[in-house]
């Protein structure tokens, strides 16, 4: 009898270290969030000022913070759309190509940047997109723009959007490929056998059944882009400020921990809302 | 003679450089149930997929109702197909699965509804129209797959290993039911299976395939009783295959020299001399103790009983003689079924149960 109970008890005990770590993280996060209910405070000192929601009122009415939130939403949406548009064909090819070499090449192309330091990749991108960088020189050489002229591709939303797509693309491709792999291709043959041409097969069978995977990849892209810190910092500089950058500045430079905490709470709530919505949509999709 | 629904002539299928089907020719007539039977790798599934339009034909011709369809895309070919894994659309109800085909044909809504209802009645699933595939048992899913193909009212129904995903009990049940259903509506069907029992039980005609070629076409009785070669003999049912050499014509029979040094009589005059294979079904071989006299006209040989397996309805006995083994199946209640291992026994069989196959 003890033999059958023993292993279950043991394996549960193995979870304990991880649970302790999670508990520590949760406590730290709750501590940070508790700052948002105080009017003033900075790192190294106890929170002070009266308790209440005054900081939230300030954060959600100040144009500076609202514009950071709007920029974040806008850039996340662009990055999600861009990475899905690029990622769908790549994932499709990785799963469907009959050539093992083609598959390996695509996987390496996606995976190698994934395993390179983000900072290294961002500075490479910064150099390439610069006023005198690879892209502008190529445009000059091909006569698209005049000699000595350049298209401003850094320190603006365009460069941040490109960087965000670059950053989330591997996550999108691997999530999509996993879901495409589980797709039963005989369903496409069945539809063709029943008289559906390629377009009808795509829109009536393939895409509806891949929708949960596309939704999962899109959610991941949106949440990852929305919490990006290094990408807007390096490629956008002071011109493009997303929520994570504003939180960092408020906490470390402005020494305004309550505002940083309130912005963190807003960002966290937003991420949770995204995941919840995706979960709801996924369930609805699987029932329909 | 009834109408030819499907006709293949000298069909060849290649995957890259390798030929998987070669010189396949046969017809399927109106109302027939024909089975492509063969082991895996014999090319039977490739042939079915080529008829459905999923695999290109490298050479030869596929004709449906007289029209060449070699280059017609799958979605324009009017053939129903029941997939091995059923391939039901998981995001559609049973009724939506069934109406998919008629809708693609742009049939009026009323006609579509009639066809869906009728197909569901055929497979006795009228109450399940609103269910999703994952809410059905394996047997019910198979019926839906059959109904979906029937709702197309195609002239030809293709079945890819239709019974392979069912458990043994359901398989035997569905065999009878499917044949009765298809006969009832006068359907023409071409099925693919590796299961010889299923092929024999369900088909009007069986096409035996091996290594990309057709070995024999015939009724189940013909391929069982008169196999064209040693492969067909061994694949369809059990068989003792004995290497033999022509010895002499003996009245209305022929004598062959066999490995244990004696001669065996086979009914009929051998058309040619030389080497041959003798085919002997185990159920045609009798067993008795030495000293008991079987029928005078029978072939008989003495051997040692080396294995015995009780199979319920019969006992399988294996006798060693002159370097080879012969298998006999005797009724379980027969006296000889109780002979002991190691005993000397006598095997006997009539000349007319011996099939002579040219080598």
């Amino acid at each position: 009898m003890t033999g059958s109970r023993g292993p279950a008890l043991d394996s549960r005990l193995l979870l304990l270290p991880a649970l302790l770590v999670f508990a520590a993280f949760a406590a730290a996060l709750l501590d940070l969030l508790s700052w948002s209910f105080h009017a003033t405070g900075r790192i190294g000192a106890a929170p002070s000022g009266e308790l209440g929601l005054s900081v939230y009122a300030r954060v959600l009415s100040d144009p500076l913070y609202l514009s950071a939130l709007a920029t974040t939403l806008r850039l996340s949406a662009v990055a999600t759309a861009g990475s899905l548009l690029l990622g769908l064909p790549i994932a499709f090819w990785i799963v469907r190509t009959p050539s093992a070499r083609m598959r390996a090449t695509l996987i390496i192309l996606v995976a190698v940047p994934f395993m390179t330091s983000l900072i290294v990749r961002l500075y490479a991108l910064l150099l390439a997109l610069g006023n005198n960088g690879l892209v502008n020189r190529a445009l000059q050489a091909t006569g698209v723009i005049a000699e000595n002229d350049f298209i401003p591709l850094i320190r603006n939303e365009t460069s941040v959007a490109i960087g965000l797509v670059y950053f989330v693309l591997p996550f999108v491709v691997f999530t999509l490929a996993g879901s495409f792999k589980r797709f039963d291709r005989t369903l496409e043959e069945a539809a063709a056998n029943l008289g559906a041409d390629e377009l009808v097969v795509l829109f009536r069978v393939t895409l509806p059944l891949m929708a949960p995977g596309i939704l999962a990849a899109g959610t991941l892209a949106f949440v990852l882009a929305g919490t990006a810190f290094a990408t807007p910092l390096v490629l956008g500089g002071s011109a493009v400020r997303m929520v994570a950058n504003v939180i960092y500045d408020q906490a470390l430079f402005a020494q305004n921990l309550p505002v940083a905490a309130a912005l963190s709470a807003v960002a966290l709530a937003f991420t949770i809302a995204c995941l919840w919505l995706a979960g709801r949509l996924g369930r609805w999709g699987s029932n329909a | 003679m009834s109408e030819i629904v499907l006709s293949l002539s000298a069909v060849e299928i290649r995957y890259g450089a390798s030929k998987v089907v070669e010189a396949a020719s046969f017809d399927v007539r109106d109302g027939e149930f024909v089975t492509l039977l063969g082991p895996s790798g014999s090319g039977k599934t490739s042939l079915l997929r080529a008829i459905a339009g999923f695999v290109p034909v490298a050479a030869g011709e596929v004709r449906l109702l007289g029209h060449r369809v070699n280059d017609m895309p799958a979605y324009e070919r009017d053939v129903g197909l029941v997939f091995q894994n059923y391939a039901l659309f998981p995001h559609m109800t049973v009724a939506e699965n069934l109406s998919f085909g008629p809708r693609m044909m742009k049939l009026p809504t009323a006609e579509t509804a009639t066809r869906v209802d009728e197909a569901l009645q055929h497979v006795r699933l009228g109450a399940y129209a609103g269910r999703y595939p994952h809410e059905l048992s394996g047997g019910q899913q198979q019926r839906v797959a059959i109904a979906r193909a029937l709702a197309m009212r195609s002239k030809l129904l293709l079945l890819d290993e239709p019974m392979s995903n069912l458990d043994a009990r359901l398989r035997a049940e569905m065999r009878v039911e499917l044949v009765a259903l298809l006969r009832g509506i006068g359907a023409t069907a071409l099925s693919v299976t590796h299961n010889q029992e299923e092929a024999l039980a369900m088909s009007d005609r069986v096409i035996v395939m091996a290594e990309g070629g057709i070995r024999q076409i015939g009724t189940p009785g013909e391929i069982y009783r008169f196999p064209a070669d040693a492969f067909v003999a061994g694949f369809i049912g059990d068989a003792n295959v004995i290497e033999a050499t022509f010895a002499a014509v003996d009245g209305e029979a022929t004598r062959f020299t066999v490995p244990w040094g004696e001669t065996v009589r086979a009914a009929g005059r051998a058309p040619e001399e030389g080497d041959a294979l003798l085919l002997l079904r185990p159920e045609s071989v009798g067993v008795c103790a030495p000293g008991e006299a079987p029928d005078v006209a029978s072939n008989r040989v003495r051997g040692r009983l080396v294995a015995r397996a009780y199979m319920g309805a019969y006992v399988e006995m294996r006798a060693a003689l002159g370097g080879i083994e012969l298998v006999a199946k005797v009724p379980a209640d027969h006296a000889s079924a109780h002979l002991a291992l190691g005993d000397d026994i006598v095997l006997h069989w009539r000349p007319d149960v011996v099939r002579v196959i040219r080598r």
Side-chain angles (χ1 to χ4, degrees):
Chain A
M1 286 300 109
T2 49
S4 65
R5 283 200 52 174
L9 207 62
D10 283 351
S11 55
R12 260 178 293 172
L13 276 174
L14 288 174
L15 280 176
L16 209 55
L19 289 177
L20 285 174
V21 171
F22 280 127
F25 279 136
L29 193 61
L30 286 175
D31 180 49
L32 173 70
L33 293 182
S34 75
W35 282 79
S36 67
F37 301 109
H38 293 277
T40 54
R42 59 185 176 80
I43 291 176
S48 55
E50 58 185 285
L51 277 171
L53 297 171
S54 66
V55 180
Y56 283 95
R58 192 164 11 127
V59 162
L60 293 175
S61 61
D62 187 326
L64 181 76
Y65 303 132
L66 286 180
S67 104
L69 285 170
T71 305
T72 304
L73 284 180
R74 189 167 58 242
L75 283 172
S76 301
V78 169
T80 304
S83 61
L84 282 177
L85 279 176
L86 294 177
L88 277 166
I90 300 177
F92 209 72
W93 269 89
I94 286 178
V95 174
R96 294 278 172 103
T97 181
S99 148
R101 181 174 299 181
M102 172 81 161
R103 185 180 355 266
T105 310
L106 285 171
I107 290 175
I108 289 168
L109 278 179
V110 177
V112 164
F114 193 47
M115 294 169 193
T116 315
S117 158
L118 179 61
I119 293 296
V120 171
R121 283 190 288 148
L122 287 175
Y123 276 107
L125 205 52
L126 187 68
L127 286 174
L129 296 174
N131 295 349
N132 207 13
L134 210 58
V135 176
N136 273 311
R137 272 181 294 158
L139 290 174
Q140 287 163 2
T142 52
V144 177
I145 56 174
E147 204 83 25
N148 303 327
D149 198 4
F150 65 86
I151 297 178
L153 286 174
I154 54 163
R155 306 208 193 287
N156 56 26
E157 286 198 11
T158 311
S159 60
V160 178
I162 293 172
L164 287 175
V165 168
Y166 189 39
F167 166 49
V168 300
L169 190 60
F171 297 95
V172 167
V173 168
F174 290 133
T175 306
L176 287 175
S179 130
F180 288 2
K181 219 173 187 151
R182 287 192 298 273
F183 178 77
D184 175 8
R185 290 199 64 187
T186 58
L187 293 174
E188 292 177 344
E189 291 184 346
N193 175 254
L194 293 166
D197 60 31
E198 284 93 342
L199 269 184
V200 176
V201 173
L202 183 68
F203 285 104
R204 292 287 309 274
V205 177
T206 313
L207 281 179
L209 288 172
M210 285 180 174
I214 297 172
L215 181 72
T219 308
L220 189 63
F222 196 76
V223 168
L224 281 175
T227 54
F229 172 72
T231 307
L233 185 70
V234 174
L235 294 172
S238 54
V240 183
R241 306 174 49 72
M242 292 174 71
V243 169
N245 306 96
V246 176
I247 292 173
Y248 181 80
D249 290 349
Q250 287 298 318
L252 274 100
F253 297 126
Q255 294 274 334
N256 192 343
L257 215 47
V259 167
L263 276 171
S264 302
V266 171
L268 189 65
F270 185 73
T271 301
I272 290 170
C274 281
L275 294 176
W276 174 80
L277 193 67
R280 283 296 297 262
L281 282 174
R283 252 205 313 283
W284 174 77
S286 68
N287 286 342
Chain B
M1 184 118 294
S2 54
E3 186 188 13
I4 292 176
V5 173
L6 172 73
S7 170
L8 269 68
S9 55
V11 166
E12 182 181 307
I13 300 171
R14 291 166 172 277
Y15 289 143
S18 63
K19 240 181 242 181
V20 292
V21 173
E22 205 177 352
S25 302
F26 63 86
D27 293 339
V28 178
R29 290 173 190 286
D30 191 31
E32 257 192 323
F33 191 113
V34 176
T35 298
L36 289 166
L37 171 67
S40 62
S42 60
K44 57 190 193 302
T45 304
S46 300
L47 214 42
L48 192 85
R49 292 175 57 79
I51 296 165
F54 298 134
V55 169
V57 171
E61 238 181 16
V62 179
R63 285 178 176 274
L64 275 169
L65 297 171
H67 302 290
R68 183 189 151 101
V69 296
N70 286 37
D71 306 312
M72 188 185 272
Y75 60 87
E76 283 178 7
R77 297 191 192 191
D78 186 21
V79 290
L81 174 53
V82 177
F83 286 80
Q84 181 173 13
N85 68 352
Y86 314 141
L88 300 176
F89 304 126
H91 57 311
M92 299 182 195
T93 61
V94 168
E96 286 164 348
N97 265 280
L98 263 61
S99 62
F100 192 95
R103 277 197 195 152
M104 290 299 127
M105 297 158 97
K106 306 259 190 307
L107 291 180
T109 318
E111 166 75 7
T112 300
T114 312
R115 286 196 181 193
V116 169
D117 284 347
E118 201 188 291
L120 281 177
Q121 294 310 317
H122 281 321
V123 296
R124 296 185 285 110
L125 281 178
Y128 294 81
R131 300 276 189 98
Y132 283 92
H134 68 88
E135 297 171 318
L136 304 177
S137 70
Q140 289 167 337
Q141 289 180 16
Q142 189 212 31
R143 287 156 191 264
V144 174
I146 293 167
R148 186 173 66 177
L150 291 180
M152 295 281 287
R153 301 213 181 143
S154 306
K155 202 70 189 117
L156 176 67
L157 182 67
L158 302 175
L159 302 149
D160 186 7
E161 301 272 3
M163 305 297 167
S164 64
N165 279 338
L166 301 178
D167 61 53
R169 193 185 53 80
L170 203 54
R171 197 177 296 179
E173 227 171 76
M174 270 313 285
R175 246 182 231 164
V176 178
E177 199 176 317
L178 182 59
V179 168
L181 167 63
L182 296 182
R183 233 178 264 293
I185 59 176
T188 308
L190 178 66
S191 175
V192 154
T193 185
H194 63 272
N195 183 319
Q196 44 108 358
E197 239 178 75
E198 190 180 306
L200 295 180
M202 296 176 76
S203 321
D204 296 312
R205 284 191 302 145
V206 178
I207 300 171
V208 186
M209 293 190 68
E211 294 162 340
I214 293 177
R215 294 301 180 88
Q216 187 173 6
I217 302 179
T219 65
E222 284 166 359
I223 61 159
Y224 187 79
R225 291 189 305 137
F226 308 108
D229 59 25
F231 170 80
V232 177
F235 193 67
I236 318 289
D238 297 328
N240 295 295
V241 179
I242 306 161
E243 294 182 7
T245 312
F246 174 86
V249 171
D250 176 3
E252 283 309 303
T254 309
R255 285 195 172 275
F256 289 90
T257 309
V258 288
W260 58 88
E262 300 174 9
T263 59
V264 162
R265 276 158 48 86
R269 288 161 183 261
E272 52 188 295
E273 305 188 355
D275 290 342
L277 291 175
L278 303 185
L279 165 70
L280 197 51
R281 296 284 181 197
E283 65 269 24
S284 304
V285 180
V287 173
C288 63
E292 286 180 72
D295 183 6
V296 191
S298 285
N299 293 291
R300 69 194 78 177
V301 62
R302 192 185 265 252
R304 197 165 47 83
L305 184 61
V306 291
R308 192 180 58 194
Y310 178 73
M311 305 299 286
Y314 61 90
V315 177
E316 190 180 284
M317 302 180 116
R318 200 170 275 274
L321 44 121
I324 69 163
E325 287 186 358
L326 289 182
V327 179
K329 287 178 183 171
V330 300
D333 54 0
H334 194 268
S336 61
H338 305 291
L339 291 165
L341 280 184
D343 281 358
D344 263 8
I345 59 171
V346 170
L347 303 176
H348 56 90
W349 59 92
R350 299 197 319 268
D352 63 326
V353 301
V354 180
R355 297 289 156 220
V356 181
I357 301 167
R358 288 286 131 213
R359 251 203 274 179

